[in-house]
Amino acid sequence: HNGALFRVARSILGHEADAEEALQGAYLRAYRHLGDVKGDSRLSTWLTRIVINQALGQVRARKKDSVVVAFDERADAPPPPESEREEPPQESPEGHLMRGQMRQLLERKIDELPLDFRTGFVMREVQDMTVDETAECLSIPAATVRTRVFRAPSMLPGSLRREATEEHTA
């Protein structure tokens, strides 16, 4: 579950180092409360809920400290590790570069979504969780998940198209 849990934490925190910290804290909390797992819950749902709570706790702590991370600092972040890439074995260098740039652009744009929309969108569309699983993890009604996932892409297109065109012509 590590990759899926990391992406959920990153969708909330917007930074890989913070997501790793949240994930580590969540694993410790899960280990301490392993006896609390209910038979009617899936382990993945239970772990996801713990990661969400841990990440949101970090967001609250960050707000208390009033530390602001400039958006531009994340723009230079390296692409995801090679192990997470699913690229054709005979891709051209130009295609490989373009795919990496597009992935970074999409991640930046998803990071700009409001937290509630971003988290549901990543869980549902990136992690392929069901609406019910996402609703259970976020403790919200399934209809709210559907609405947020439906609205999230409409918040992206104008700036996404403009930046994709600018990066492609640069």
Side-chain angles (χ1 to χ4, degrees):
H1 303 287
N2 198 49
L5 296 173
F6 175 80
R7 284 186 283 278
V8 168
R10 189 188 179 288
S11 75
I12 294 169
L13 296 164
H15 193 270
E16 290 183 11
D18 292 341
E20 289 172 3
E21 184 179 326
L23 193 56
Q24 186 176 32
Y27 279 138
L28 287 171
R29 182 173 286 160
Y31 180 75
R32 288 184 192 123
H33 296 280
L34 203 50
D36 299 344
V37 179
K38 297 175 185 170
D40 59 339
S41 290
R42 289 179 33 176
L43 180 62
S44 62
T45 304
W46 183 71
L47 287 171
T48 302
R49 187 70 225 159
I50 292 172
V51 167
I52 289 169
N53 287 336
Q54 187 74 24
L56 291 174
Q58 284 183 223
V59 168
R60 284 189 294 275
R62 190 185 308 162
K63 285 182 181 177
K64 271 187 187 176
D65 294 339
S66 299
V67 175
V68 177
V69 176
F71 180 74
D72 292 335
E73 290 178 22
R74 291 188 311 215
D76 297 328
E82 193 70 34
S83 61
E84 291 186 16
R85 295 182 188 164
E86 296 179 15
E87 298 168 329
Q90 298 178 350
E91 186 174 24
S92 70
E94 294 84 12
H96 180 77
L97 179 63
M98 195 163 142
R99 183 186 301 266
Q101 289 174 339
M102 186 56 74
R103 183 178 292 117
Q104 285 179 328
L105 175 61
L106 285 171
E107 285 178 356
R108 285 195 319 261
K109 290 299 156 185
I110 289 171
D111 286 347
E112 289 179 7
L113 288 171
L115 179 62
D116 292 341
F117 289 86
R118 180 175 63 232
T119 305
F121 182 78
V122 168
M123 293 173 73
R124 183 78 185 96
E125 299 299 327
V126 177
Q127 297 304 127
D128 289 328
M129 294 177 78
T130 66
V131 170
D132 291 334
E133 289 171 333
T134 304
E136 184 178 344
C137 288
L138 296 174
S139 300
I140 59 175
T144 304
V145 170
R146 285 187 197 92
T147 300
R148 289 177 182 175
V149 171
F150 177 76
R151 288 183 181 167
S154 68
M155 300 169 130
L156 299 174
S159 62
L160 184 60
R161 267 190 244 114
R162 185 175 52 252
E163 282 195 40
T165 304
E166 289 171 4
E167 285 191 18
H168 185 64
T169 58

